[in-house]
Amino acid sequence: MKLPAFMEMYQQLIAAPSISALEESLNMSNQNVIHLLAQWCETLGFIVEVTELEHAKGKYNLIARRGSGDGGLMLAGHTDTVPFDDSRWQFDPFKLSEQDNKLYGLGSIDMKGFFAFVLNAISELDELQQNAPIMILATADEETTMAGAQEIAKHPSLKPARCIIGEPTDMVPVFTHKGHMTTAIRIVGRSGHSSDPERGLNAIEIMHQVIANLLKLREELKNKYSTPHFAIPYPTLNLGHIHGGDNANRICGCCELHIDMRPLPGLSIKELQAMLTAAVAPINTHYPNSVSVIDMHEPIPAFTGSTDSALVKMAERLSGQQAIAVNYCTEAPFLQQLGCETIVMGPGSINQAHQPNEFLAMEKIQPSQDIIKQLIRESCFAYTSCIK
């Protein structure tokens, strides 16, 4: 079997739906994407290991290796995409469409396309000159729980020296990023008829007090913690979704608020959770057992890297761009647990991620391909000419 051309790989990846969602009706398996990658990796002489996630049936991770021993370079990405709103797309999300020098499709930059770049680059390097292992990692469920990366972090024999996660950064190396917590604050009151308020306990009114305390916590985080590398240098707390009650003439018996928190490196998840619990504790004391704080998924810690690492220095030199810090989060803190120098760096703009009509600008293809090829060559090959 011959490896398909770059654009053909791109088309096939986009045409294989692999949506991750917490809502079960939208959630899909990524098996078809994994199957494509397994075939293509085997064509290039990789040994492929595919495993089903322990706690997410129908979701799969792939590890492909070429070369023996520890060390070398791992090129990592996730195979899932976010859901989409069909009414806001002008193109078929599952068909790679070219228009105005752009390639449109769900996952075109976030981040199925990265695998086409990687495989094409490896195919243009002489395998006989390879002197360190190359690994390709494809994970499941990054867009929801990051369960795929969390399982990989416990892998007993995966020990790359370096890891590049190909999220869309416009090929600018990212050496650190914030973490992510999504938390539900649930108030359980006591319903009753609105004509007799004293016989009930209004959950919306209690939530009003909770929100006031959360806004105080937000200011405390902003004033107490700061890291100048970030465009937004403090931890953030966003009130994202609220729902409570069912009718105007009933005392609201239950109200739920969903919040998003983004911790800085150095601020641990446990510390942030403790601060959140402390913020609602006085209300729970006044109204016993009325307030619950619930993680909606496993919190994602911040990724802490160093601008002095050899991988960062190489990526800066090859890209001509200084390494940066970003406010969004990736699988980096989990893959870093394998003991490897880690950066986030890939084709496409983060501004297109999770957007209708997601696209890759075609003028970026060749420059991105050249940098990816050079990163692989300098990490795993013994010669200076990078083309067969």
Side-chain angles (χ1 to χ4, degrees):
M1 176 183 172
K2 184 180 178 182
L3 186 74
F6 173 79
M7 289 296 289
E8 187 178 344
M9 285 191 286
Y10 227 114
Q11 290 166 352
Q12 291 188 49
L13 290 167
I14 300 303
S18 55
I19 291 169
S20 286
L22 296 176
E23 185 179 334
E24 195 56 39
S25 63
L26 299 175
N27 200 28
M28 297 179 178
S29 173
N30 67 332
Q31 188 171 22
N32 289 338
V33 177
I34 292 292
H35 179 69
L36 287 171
L37 294 176
Q39 283 186 314
W40 298 337
C41 287
E42 287 173 347
T43 297
L44 293 176
F46 283 77
I47 297 172
V48 175
E49 170 191 331
V50 174
T51 55
E52 188 173 22
L53 299 196
E54 184 178 352
H55 300 296
K57 299 304 178 185
K59 303 296 183 86
Y60 298 86
N61 285 337
L62 172 147
I63 301 170
R65 311 183 198 215
R66 198 175 75 183
S68 58
D70 296 337
L73 175 66
M74 183 167 73
L75 299 140
H78 62 84
T79 58
D80 58 323
T81 70
V82 293
F84 66 96
D85 182 347
D86 192 51
S87 67
R88 299 178 65 196
W89 275 74
Q90 297 172 283
F91 305 91
D92 182 344
F94 302 116
K95 180 180 179 181
L96 192 67
S97 303
E98 181 182 341
Q99 186 171 308
D100 299 328
N101 207 34
K102 299 173 182 175
L103 292 177
Y104 293 91
L106 184 62
S108 56
I109 54 96
D110 188 21
M111 57 170 295
K112 292 179 181 179
F114 178 65
F115 295 109
F117 278 93
V118 165
L119 290 164
N120 189 68
I122 293 171
S123 73
E124 295 182 351
L125 293 160
D126 186 353
E127 184 179 354
L128 296 176
Q129 299 293 331
Q130 184 180 329
N131 64 353
I134 304 174
M135 288 145 277
I136 296 173
L137 171 65
T139 61
D141 278 11
E142 187 270 353
E143 298 290 5
T144 50
T145 64
M146 297 203 183
Q150 292 187 65
E151 289 195 16
I152 289 295
K154 302 171 186 175
H155 198 286
S157 60
L158 189 60
K159 300 184 184 301
R162 296 172 172 176
C163 175
I164 298 172
I165 302 169
E167 293 277 5
T169 69
D170 268 336
M171 298 308 296
V172 177
V174 169
F175 76 96
T176 186
H177 64 61
K178 293 181 181 180
H180 181 221
M181 288 172 56
T182 302
T183 306
I185 312 292
R186 184 175 298 156
I187 311 295
V188 177
R190 188 169 61 252
S191 63
H193 199 280
S194 62
S195 63
D196 192 354
E198 298 304 317
R199 298 190 66 180
L201 182 61
N202 195 309
I204 292 176
E205 294 179 11
I206 299 175
M207 184 63 81
H208 176 72
Q209 298 177 47
V210 168
I211 289 174
N213 285 11
L214 291 177
L215 294 179
K216 289 178 184 177
L217 174 59
R218 184 168 71 181
E219 287 304 303
E220 179 185 344
L221 291 169
K222 184 175 181 179
N223 294 329
K224 186 176 180 180
Y225 300 94
S226 181
T227 302
H229 293 302
F230 292 90
I232 301 169
Y234 49 85
T236 56
L237 189 161
N238 179 63
L239 312 179
H241 170 81
I242 192 168
H243 178 79
D246 52 22
N247 207 25
N249 64 358
R250 277 172 57 84
I251 297 168
C252 175
C254 185
C255 185
E256 186 164 300
L257 169 69
H258 297 173
I259 65 172
D260 171 289
M261 302 180 77
R262 304 275 172 158
L264 291 168
L267 178 58
S268 73
I269 294 295
K270 286 185 178 181
E271 184 179 0
L272 197 56
Q273 288 172 324
M275 295 171 74
L276 186 58
T277 301
V280 303
I283 300 165
N284 234 350
T285 300
H286 190 72
Y287 303 102
N289 303 314
S290 64
V291 185
S292 299
V293 179
I294 305 160
D295 287 331
M296 297 183 69
H297 60 71
E298 190 74 19
I300 312 303
F303 162 49
T304 305
S306 169
T307 55
D308 294 328
S309 79
L311 178 57
V312 168
K313 294 297 185 185
M314 179 176 69
E316 288 181 328
R317 173 171 52 82
L318 293 177
S319 67
Q321 302 281 345
Q322 186 175 357
I324 61 171
V326 295
N327 297 312
Y328 55 85
C329 68
T330 75
E331 296 171 318
F334 300 113
L335 302 186
Q336 189 182 41
Q337 292 175 31
L338 297 170
C340 46
E341 291 185 4
T342 303
I343 61 170
V344 183
M345 183 178 183
S349 169
I350 192 63
N351 294 330
Q352 288 301 314
H354 302 186
Q355 297 299 312
N357 303 319
E358 177 184 345
F359 70 83
L360 172 70
M362 293 184 70
E363 69 268 16
K364 299 291 184 71
I365 291 177
Q366 193 58 55
S368 299
Q369 185 72 88
D370 291 344
I371 294 169
I372 290 170
K373 191 186 303 181
Q374 285 290 93
L375 288 165
I376 298 170
R377 181 190 65 79
E378 292 200 16
S379 297
C380 302
F381 289 78
Y383 68 135
T384 56
S385 174
C386 64
I387 306 294
K388 285 185 179 180

